[in-house]
Amino acid sequence: MTTTDPMNAVLNQAPPLENFNRYLGNRPLRDAVLREGAGWAHDELAERGAELGSAEWVRRGELANASPPRLRGHDRDGRPADRFEFHPAWHECLGWLKQHGLAGAAWTQPRPGAQVRRAALFQLFAEVESGSLCPATMTHAAVPVLARDFGLIEPWVRLAQSTRHDPRFLPAASKRGVLIGMGVTERQGGSDVRANISRAEPAGDGWYRLTGHKWFMSATMSDAFLVTAQSAGGLGCFLLPRFGPDGGLNALHVRRAKDKLGDRSNATAEVVFDGALARLVGEEGRGIATVMEVAGLTRLDCANGSAGLMRAALSHALHHARHRSAFGKPLVAQPLMRNVLADMAVELEGHVAFCMAVAGCIDRRETSAEAGTLARLLVPALKYWVCGRTPALVAEAMEVLGGNGYVEDGPMPRLFRQSPLNSIWEGAGNMMCLDVLRALQREPACRDLLLDVLGRVRGIHAGYDRHLDALAGALAPQAAQEGDARRLAGRIALAMEAALLLAAGSPAGDALCSSRLAGDGWQGFGTLARNTDFAAILARADPERSDGD
């Protein structure tokens, strides 16, 4: 006769969250995709959502982060190698990103809503693995800049737009697809790119020789990098390939890999240029303008990536609360826990709506000057707000899981370590808020366009109307000062999120206005009013509810 040891029984524990549809179970994202003109991509997004919610992809994301890249400074014969080696899961992630158009190929699909579709896929993949999104977003953002220079189109634009990931360490002309990284930051300047001291000297035949260093080279395994250096005409932007025109390794030397808090699957390094050959992108002296054009796209991806991280954290919290009981009933049925979960869902729904609306502006800016003007204002406001709010939401979601959320064999520690990165990368919060001010000062039409968009939902919620009145005053010429830039950017972001949710008729709209715009303002997660429609909000956020209700 066998006996069962009660100490080995697994009781009152949530099963793993896997084999679910990340897209169909995300009603706020589905609604936003439809609003912003990419409803035609529904079937594809549903298919990708099921794929990325599978146990196979959950494990793949875990493996890519459990096996960080290894730097090989030299080959076995002692020759410089300056390359990283990755776990196969990393390359499988990049293969998926290239295949589905997140790393360059989205520009080959000019259909209205193409950038909205890509933004939705970006958020879905961020739930699984964030590090591989770094080279994907930089390759995507580099394509429009490179495509304007005839000398750089072949083979760089063609291979960047390829849907094939080719991990071989070879010259670009021998590959089926390439990835493009970026190196702007130097140790003495940080965000002050004008303080860069790397030098670029003409080397003939359209090439320059770069001498200097980069304190952070993002996605150091890439086939080429957009970098900045001082030339005779001022700061320029250059495309620096890993291999020179003779097919030999370029003089880019990896001094050390960065040991980062998160983003463990991705390679970031300090590098030195010792006469490395590079091609000028654009004009001498216009390097900052070129980098800012790239940043307009990478910053949107920072926000999308943060929204995906928050979605992953909230999904785990909701899943845990549905399957774990305390004091005689499931956690999700406990009134205070419902308030906390619903408050996180409200927060995230606003962020998702804002991200998709800005992606819609990017889609329309080629045909609408107003969309381009709005994008220049909203992109930095979006990045500041969404990325800056991420650590707090991920920490709150971790707390829902209790001690289980704090141990390394669960998903939350990786999400938490990753959560501050997008707020730092591509310009930290202060830089974003100053860019908001610059957009308002340089393009006075920004103010009127923004107030026109926000004014379309006036009259639905009194708290929103009061917020809009106050914002209109803060946007008046000369009203905003540099020291107030964070307050102004936050007001703009909240107004946009509230307007989008109110216009959509989402129950999260009223909750967002009542909790974040009215009265004493937001007091932390779990402080929604008692008359909030908790059931409707939680149903929209439930990752395992994909019946379309």
Side-chain angles (χ1 to χ4, degrees):
M1 184 177 70
T2 60
T3 59
T4 301
D5 184 353
M7 298 301 292
N8 290 329
V10 179
L11 304 173
N12 198 25
Q13 293 284 347
L17 177 59
E18 54 191 30
N19 298 320
F20 67 108
N21 194 306
R22 294 187 187 274
Y23 183 67
L24 293 183
N26 190 340
R27 176 68 181 274
L29 180 59
R30 285 160 40 206
D31 287 354
V33 165
L34 183 62
R35 284 196 305 271
E36 299 301 333
W40 50 267
H42 174 84
D43 290 345
E44 180 201 4
L45 292 171
E47 186 175 349
R48 299 287 80 78
E51 185 179 2
L52 293 174
S54 68
E56 177 185 4
W57 268 100
V58 170
R59 301 291 175 268
R60 193 166 284 140
E62 292 171 350
L63 283 171
N65 282 270
S67 306
R70 186 164 61 106
L71 175 62
R72 286 189 60 192
H74 298 80
D75 66 16
R76 64 183 182 182
D77 298 318
R79 290 184 292 266
D82 292 312
R83 59 184 294 190
F84 285 87
E85 293 179 343
F86 293 82
H87 189 279
W90 162 266
H91 291 298
E92 290 167 355
C93 288
L94 284 173
W96 192 98
L97 293 168
K98 287 289 280 184
Q99 178 186 355
H100 297 296
L102 278 77
W107 299 111
T108 66
Q109 187 179 45
R111 184 174 184 174
Q115 299 305 316
V116 173
R117 166 204 169 269
R118 181 185 174 278
L121 281 173
F122 201 95
Q123 290 191 21
L124 294 175
F125 197 86
E127 297 183 44
V128 177
E129 207 294 293
S130 291
S132 51
L133 288 170
C134 174
T137 187
M138 287 186 292
T139 303
H140 170 76
V143 166
V145 170
L146 298 179
R148 288 200 297 269
D149 191 325
F150 181 79
L152 297 173
I153 289 176
E154 182 57 39
W156 293 106
V157 172
R158 174 176 58 84
L159 292 175
Q161 291 183 314
S162 168
T163 56
R164 300 184 68 178
H165 170 55
D166 189 341
R168 296 176 299 165
F169 195 59
L170 295 171
S174 302
K175 300 190 67 170
R176 296 184 290 267
V178 300
L179 294 166
I180 297 173
M182 200 166 182
V184 175
T185 304
E186 298 186 3
R187 66 171 67 90
Q188 76 285 343
S191 297
D192 184 5
V193 180
R194 290 182 176 84
N196 283 6
I197 58 175
S198 293
R199 299 292 308 177
E201 301 291 341
D205 199 24
W207 290 92
Y208 287 72
R209 286 199 178 274
L210 272 58
T211 304
H213 73 282
K214 294 296 171 185
W215 191 235
F216 286 95
M217 181 73 90
S218 296
T220 319
M221 32 56 63
S222 298
D223 298 283
F225 305 90
L226 288 176
V227 302
T228 49
Q230 301 285 355
S231 62
L235 189 74
C237 180
F238 299 84
L239 180 72
L240 190 156
R242 290 304 305 268
F243 292 84
D246 63 354
L249 272 177
N250 209 348
L252 179 158
H253 304 300
V254 179
R255 284 293 177 255
R256 65 168 173 165
K258 292 290 192 181
D259 187 8
K260 299 166 292 185
L261 170 67
D263 207 48
R264 307 294 292 182
S265 68
N266 184 29
T268 307
E270 299 169 26
V271 303
V272 171
F273 306 144
D274 186 17
L277 287 165
R279 297 287 300 272
L280 181 66
V281 179
E283 304 173 16
E284 287 190 354
R286 295 280 298 165
I288 290 179
T290 302
V291 167
M292 288 302 296
E293 182 177 350
V294 173
L297 296 168
T298 56
R299 288 170 175 178
L300 171 57
D301 277 356
C302 285
N304 282 314
S306 290
L309 280 174
M310 285 187 276
R311 174 62 189 177
L314 176 60
S315 292
H316 283 292
L318 287 165
H319 176 73
H320 179 85
R322 286 182 62 233
H323 289 276
R324 186 166 176 87
S325 296
F327 309 110
K329 55 185 175 182
L331 287 179
V332 73
Q334 305 281 359
L336 189 52
M337 180 59 76
R338 285 174 68 80
N339 199 319
V340 170
L341 293 168
D343 209 349
M344 287 192 287
V346 167
E347 174 92 8
L348 181 54
E349 185 161 347
H351 298 334
V352 169
F354 195 6
C355 286
M356 291 297 112
V358 174
C361 283
I362 300 297
D363 257 320
R364 297 186 296 272
R365 66 181 183 178
E366 293 300 319
T367 57
S368 167
E370 291 185 352
T373 299
L374 267 180
R376 285 188 286 276
L377 172 67
L378 294 180
V379 165
L382 172 76
K383 182 186 181 298
Y384 162 68
W385 189 247
V386 175
C387 299
R389 302 281 288 181
T390 304
L393 188 143
V394 174
E396 193 69 53
M398 180 187 292
E399 188 174 328
V400 173
L401 275 66
N404 284 350
Y406 199 67
V407 294
E408 288 290 348
D409 56 359
M412 289 302 193
R414 173 158 61 100
L415 295 175
F416 187 68
R417 284 193 297 271
Q418 192 76 21
S419 66
L421 175 59
N422 285 326
S423 191
I424 299 168
W425 190 45
E426 296 297 281
N430 281 357
M431 296 300 297
M432 296 303 97
C433 296
L434 292 174
D435 280 352
V436 169
L437 279 186
R438 292 187 190 102
L440 289 168
Q441 292 164 356
R442 294 174 182 174
E443 299 189 63
C446 280
R447 176 184 184 274
D448 294 336
L449 281 173
L450 178 65
L451 292 176
D452 177 64
V453 169
L454 297 176
R456 295 170 191 171
V457 293
R458 185 183 285 276
I460 298 176
H461 192 285
Y464 173 81
D465 293 351
R466 289 192 293 270
H467 181 84
L468 185 54
D469 289 339
L471 177 60
L475 288 170
Q478 308 304 320
Q481 302 297 315
E482 185 173 313
D484 299 323
R486 282 190 174 230
R487 183 180 295 109
L488 179 62
R491 284 180 173 181
I492 291 171
L494 273 174
M496 279 297 303
E497 292 186 353
L500 290 163
L501 297 185
L502 289 174
S506 168
D510 179 79
L512 188 148
C513 291
S514 297
S515 61
R516 289 150 172 82
L517 302 184
D520 296 328
W522 189 66
Q523 299 295 307
F525 292 112
T527 58
L528 296 177
R530 277 181 278 179
N531 62 352
T532 299
D533 192 346
F534 295 104
I537 291 169
L538 290 173
R540 291 173 62 79
D542 190 343
E544 297 167 279
R545 178 174 176 151
S546 57
D547 55 8
D549 295 331

